[in-house]
Amino acid sequence: MDHDLLPSEPKRIHMSEQYPLAIDFRTARNVSVPLIAVNSLDPAATMRALAWSLVNVASASQADTDNEFGLHTFPILKWDIGHGLIPLNEEGKNWHTQNVGPSKQNTTINPAEALRVLEKVPQRTLTFILNGHRYLSNDFFIQGLWNCRDLYKTNGSTIVLLGIGFKLPPELANDVVLLNEPLPTATQLESIIKEQLSAASLPLPDHATLAKAVDATLGLGAFTAEPGHGQRSRIEQRAEERGEEHHLGEDEPHHPHAERAVDI
């Protein structure tokens, strides 16, 4: 079965160019770091955020803000254990058709086999591997990443492992740059709440209630913070139980930068 592009999802977080993860990722990408691991509670939001961090914001129109994958002229791919290797933009689809296609798609469900295929990517390819932390004890996966290292260093491609609690094996300890995805700020949480209530055709709360809702979701990942349809009352109830008002844009938590320098 051929794999079409994944349907685009509404953007929940518009990343500032000064967002700590954006700065670290762009720096690593610009000096052709081939292997990056990102601790993230919300891989879907992180993939969109990292793709958006590579966009020339000044030249992107408002209509482009929900199309961060399609804005790039290099292939963007994603791997997960359920689907194998799939494309996220047109350039990725063209490469996937030529190098994977229906005949090899099921083979790429095996992460080691997927990495063998990924040795053939063109320049500047960006590949996301979901739950990458779960395979770092597998000798074949470790070797596959190591095999891609020098190839990617030469052609500027990047493999991004997304997961939680990465423990790098000795074989890769000096080859993988480890970054941390900060939790959403109060301003971003406010945007998430407004967008989700609007999508559910629910009226926006007054400023005081909104501030309490933001306070109630501080410390949650972007996906967890999203109220589902009909959940507005629960968020407001949690905010009331907290009994504290958060001033939007103030008292933002500190966001850690890369755990290892990226100027290698």
Side-chain angles (χ1 to χ4, degrees), residues 169-184:
E171 298 88 344
L172 296 175
N174 295 319
D175 298 318
V176 179
V177 170
L178 183 60
L179 306 178
N180 291 305
E181 166 69 68
L183 293 171

Side-chain angles (χ1 to χ4, degrees), residues 223-255:
F223 183 81
T224 310
E226 292 177 9
H229 292 193
Q231 289 185 320
R232 176 184 174 185
S233 61
R234 270 182 267 174
I235 288 183
E236 293 181 353
Q237 179 182 2
R238 182 178 169 188
E240 293 292 344
E241 290 173 352
R242 290 278 291 270
E244 299 174 352
E245 182 172 345
H246 182 87
H247 297 286
L248 301 180
E250 299 178 3
D251 303 321
E252 300 288 4
H254 172 69
H255 302 304

Side-chain angles (χ1 to χ4, degrees), residues 23-25 27-29 31 33 177-179 258 260-264:
I23 296 172
D24 292 336
F25 178 69
T27 301
R29 177 85 169 167
V31 296
V33 171
V177 170
L178 183 60
L179 306 178
R260 183 167 72 88
V262 295
D263 52 343
I264 60 177

